Amino acid sequence: MTRAILRRVGAGVLVLWAAATAAYLALLAAPGDTVDAIIGDGADSPLIRSQIIQEWHLDRPAVVQYFDFLWRAVQGDLGRSYLLQRPVAEVIGGQLGPTLQLAATAAGFGIVLALVLAVVARRPWVRRLSSTTELVLVSTPPFLIGIVLLSLFSFRLGWFPVSGAQGAAALVLPAITMGLPIAGTLAQVLRDGLDRALDEPFAVTARARGLRESAVLVRHALKHALLPTVTMLGWSFGVLIGGTVIIEQVFGRPGLGQVTVQAVNASDLPVVLAVVILAATVFVVVNTLTDLAYLVIDPRLRRS
C-alpha cells in the first residue's frame, strides 16, 4: 500500500512538472516580447525598459529563468501578474470560486442525467432513442449547445439571464451546456457496463432467487457497472475544468476563463503558467480520488 501511494504521488508530481514545462516552453516560443507585455499601454523609454529587465530578471538565460520559476512554484510563489501588477495567487483566487462552482454543478447534472439515460432506457425503442440522443450530445461542440440554449431560453423566452453570475438562475444554462456532453459519454459507458453485468453469473443467480429485473439492475448490476463509469468521470472532470474557459466566454461569466483569455492575449506568462498548474493539480487530485473510489465500490480491490 505504501509503495502504491508513493507511486501515485510520484506520478502526480511528474504530471504537474510536465504540464508546467510544456506551458512554459509554449509561451517562451510564442511571438512577442516580455518587456512589451509588461509595459502594455504605459510609458515606454529605454530607461523604463532597462528597469523592467532588472526588476523581472529578464536578463538571465531562459534556462535559469525556468529553474527559478520551478523553484518558486514549489515554494508556493506563483509570481506577479505582468498585466494587473498583482500577485498571481490573488488574481486566480478571486476567480476560482465561480469556475469550480460551474464545473461541480455541470458534473452533478451530467451524472444524474447519465444514470437516468442508462437505467431507464432498457426497452428496445427507448434504448434506440437514448443512444441517438447520446450520440448527438457527444458529437455537438459545447459552445454550440450554449449558443442554442442562450437563443431559446434567454433571448427568446427570457427565462434565464443572458450573462453574469448573479443568482442560481445564471448558473443553469452554463451547467447544462457543459453537463450534456458529459452525460452522453457517461451514459454510453454505464449502459455497456450494465449490459455486461446483467449477463454475469451473479445476475442469473439473483433472478433464480426470485428478484425482479429492476432489483437485479439497481442492487447488483449497477454497482459492478460503476467502475468504468468512475474512470470516465475522473477524465470528464478534467475536461470540465478546461471547458470552462470557452463556456465562461459564451455566457459572460467571471472565472478562470476570463482570466486565462486576458493573460494569453497579453502574454502574461505568470498567470498562464499558474492556470496550467492549477488545472493539472485538479486533474491529479480528481484521478487520485477516482482510484480511492474503486476501493469503495469493489471490496475485492481492497483485499488484493
Side-chain angles (χ1 to χ4, degrees):
M1 181 63 71
T2 302
R3 287 197 300 269
I5 293 175
L6 291 176
R7 282 198 303 269
R8 188 63 186 173
V9 172
V13 172
L14 183 61
V15 169
L16 294 177
W17 170 78
T21 302
Y24 186 88
L25 294 177
L27 291 173
L28 198 64
D33 183 68
T34 303
V35 177
D36 292 334
I38 297 174
I39 291 176
D41 297 328
D44 188 4
S45 69
L47 178 60
I48 292 177
R49 286 181 172 269
S50 64
Q51 291 174 343
I52 290 175
I53 291 174
Q54 290 181 354
E55 179 181 358
W56 293 89
H57 306 294
L58 299 178
D59 52 343
R60 297 179 180 177
V63 175
V64 176
Q65 295 184 50
Y66 166 71
F67 283 108
D68 181 59
F69 153 72
L70 288 181
W71 176 245
R72 286 188 288 104
V74 169
Q75 295 176 315
D77 181 9
L78 300 176
R80 196 164 83 249
S81 168
Y82 295 162
L83 179 64
L84 302 176
Q85 292 299 310
R86 292 164 51 199
V88 172
E90 180 182 323
V91 173
I92 292 180
Q95 301 296 325
L96 184 59
T99 295
L100 291 180
Q101 182 188 44
L102 175 57
T105 305
F109 170 75
I111 293 171
V112 172
L113 182 57
L115 285 172
V116 172
L117 290 174
V119 174
V120 175
R122 306 309 301 173
R123 296 181 179 274
W125 69 271
V126 180
R127 186 186 183 94
R128 288 193 295 269
L129 178 61
S130 176
S131 298
T132 303
T133 303
E134 294 159 10
L135 182 60
V136 172
L137 293 178
V138 172
S139 305
T140 306
F143 75 88
L144 183 57
I145 297 176
I147 292 173
V148 172
L149 293 179
L150 270 176
S151 302
L152 179 59
F153 294 105
S154 294
F155 294 114
R156 193 163 190 176
L157 298 177
W159 292 356
F160 300 99
V162 175
S163 62
Q166 299 299 320
L171 186 62
V172 173
L173 292 185
I176 292 176
T177 299
M178 298 181 64
L180 285 177
I182 298 300
T185 302
L186 293 181
Q188 291 176 343
V189 175
L190 181 58
R191 184 167 49 252
D192 290 342
L194 286 174
D195 291 342
R196 289 193 298 269
L198 289 172
D199 291 333
E200 293 290 334
F202 69 84
V204 178
T205 303
R207 293 190 191 98
R209 294 203 319 249
L211 285 181
R212 291 180 299 178
E213 189 67 20
S214 59
V216 176
L217 179 69
V218 175
R219 292 170 55 183
H220 297 282
L222 185 59
K223 189 173 183 178
H224 286 77
L226 283 179
L227 282 179
T229 307
V230 168
T231 301
M232 288 301 300
L233 181 60
W235 169 82
S236 300
F237 200 87
V239 173
L240 282 174
I241 294 295
T244 55
V245 175
I246 298 175
I247 300 304
E248 285 174 355
Q249 294 293 310
V250 173
F251 288 92
R253 288 180 56 85
L256 291 181
Q258 298 279 1
V259 171
T260 304
V261 171
Q262 293 176 0
V264 171
N265 290 334
S267 298
D268 197 343
L269 180 64
V271 174
V272 175
L273 290 175
V275 170
V276 171
I277 293 175
L278 176 63
T281 302
V282 171
F283 184 80
V284 169
V285 170
V286 169
N287 279 273
T288 301
L289 294 177
T290 299
D291 289 345
L292 295 177
Y294 294 160
L295 304 179
V296 176
I297 295 172
D298 194 341
R300 294 171 300 179
L301 297 178
R302 293 198 295 269
R303 288 194 296 268
S304 62

